[in-house]
Amino acid sequence: MSTYLHHLRRRRSRRLAAQYALPSDARIAVIGLGRFGGSLATELMRRDWDVLGVDTDSRRIQRFSDQLTHAVVADCTDPQAVRQLGIHEFTHVVVGIGTGIEASILVTSNLLEFEVPNIWAKAISRQHAQILERIGAHHVVLPEHEMGERVAHLVTGRLLDFIQFDDDYALAKTVAPQASTGLPLGETRVRSEYGVTVVGIKRPGQDFTYATAETVVEKGDVIIITGRTQNVERFAAMS
């Protein structure tokens, strides 16, 4: 076992006093510390994960040296670098390389060769995403594209927030349309008539709470709805 991994395990054992349960292997390597990878790495640290940050740019490594468990300059397109850093023993690795498609593919391929069980890879285009999926990356994300789609829904509609899970399924926050107010949700026929389900509700000055068939939505309430994307958009447009 590498010296670095031994250091991580000692640090993790000191953190187990946290009041919430960490995963059994709460360490992750983030390769590529640009805007996406750097933001992800610092958020994971905030959540009490041990994070190894890797980048070929020494200036980025210097910037993150005091923020991450360990930050190192290395080129993980070289399988030997992956092995020397002990990354091949990690169960979670993120490939956050954002500019070099070739480097992204080579790093992901190296991790697959080492049989890393959970690889998250950032793609900068749909073509890049397709290549990563074809070589076997377990999870592929297009953060810029997905954010663009989300903002487009917010700008052009009545939605306060929007998340799309699949090509045609979404979760959204909107002000309650009149069709959902005044009666218990089970009597409004929101699901049967409009094809959406109200799963949460927030009244002014109160926190969000789960919605049930007995919940009565009032004018001005903010609701969380889920359903087919087209149905969600149409329902929100009524508000």
Side-chain angles (χ1 to χ4, degrees):
M1 181 186 300
S2 69
T3 302
Y4 172 67
L5 291 179
H6 180 65
H7 169 71
L8 285 187
R9 289 185 177 178
R10 284 189 321 201
R11 282 202 58 175
R12 189 168 67 250
S13 66
R14 292 198 296 268
R15 293 183 175 188
L16 290 180
Q19 292 185 359
Y20 62 91
L22 290 173
S24 59
D25 190 13
R27 59 190 173 94
I28 190 167
V30 179
I31 302 171
L33 295 175
R35 285 180 298 177
F36 172 76
S39 175
L40 175 65
T42 53
E43 175 63 17
L44 288 166
M45 285 293 295
R46 190 185 70 79
R47 298 185 181 205
D48 212 26
W49 281 62
D50 283 306
V51 180
L52 166 62
V54 185
D55 202 287
T56 56
D57 188 334
S58 60
R59 291 171 299 180
R60 285 179 179 169
I61 293 303
Q62 185 175 9
R63 187 192 319 155
F64 286 99
S65 60
D66 294 331
Q67 300 180 47
L68 307 182
T69 309
H70 194 64
V72 61
V73 177
D75 183 359
C76 289
T77 61
D78 181 357
Q80 282 300 108
V82 175
R83 183 180 292 278
Q84 288 171 3
L85 291 173
I87 295 174
H88 64 296
E89 297 183 21
F90 279 59
T91 56
H92 298 79
V93 180
V94 175
V95 182
I97 298 171
T99 54
I101 292 178
E102 182 179 358
S104 166
I105 294 168
L106 284 172
V107 171
T108 303
S109 179
N110 287 339
L111 297 172
L112 289 165
E113 286 291 326
F114 284 119
E115 299 183 346
V116 174
N118 291 288
I119 302 169
W120 294 78
K122 174 189 174 182
I124 59 175
S125 68
R126 289 199 179 277
Q127 292 81 3
H128 184 194
Q130 288 173 354
I131 294 171
L132 291 169
E133 289 169 350
R134 285 172 184 167
I135 66 174
H138 307 113
H139 312 277
V140 178
V141 293
L142 289 105
E144 286 87 358
H145 178 80
E146 290 163 2
M147 179 57 71
E149 285 189 343
R150 177 173 175 270
V151 173
H153 281 94
L154 301 182
V155 169
T156 60
R158 299 291 186 91
L159 299 171
L160 304 176
D161 208 345
F162 177 88
I163 302 172
Q164 187 159 317
F165 295 100
D166 270 318
D167 291 339
D168 192 31
Y169 199 82
L171 182 74
K173 179 169 71 172
T174 185
V175 176
Q178 185 176 353
S180 62
T181 64
L183 292 171
L185 285 172
E187 300 177 21
T188 60
R189 297 184 297 173
V190 167
R191 183 183 300 179
S192 60
E193 190 169 343
Y194 300 101
V196 300
T197 301
V198 179
V199 296
I201 179 174
K202 182 182 188 302
R203 296 217 159 91
Q206 299 181 23
D207 294 330
F208 269 104
T209 185
Y210 292 110
T212 68
E214 289 74 38
T215 299
V216 178
V217 179
E218 298 175 359
K219 183 179 179 180
D221 287 348
V222 172
I223 57 175
I224 300 293
I225 57 174
T226 185
R228 298 285 183 186
T229 302
Q230 188 176 44
N231 293 338
V232 166
E233 292 172 335
R234 287 177 177 172
F235 187 72
M238 298 166 56
S239 62

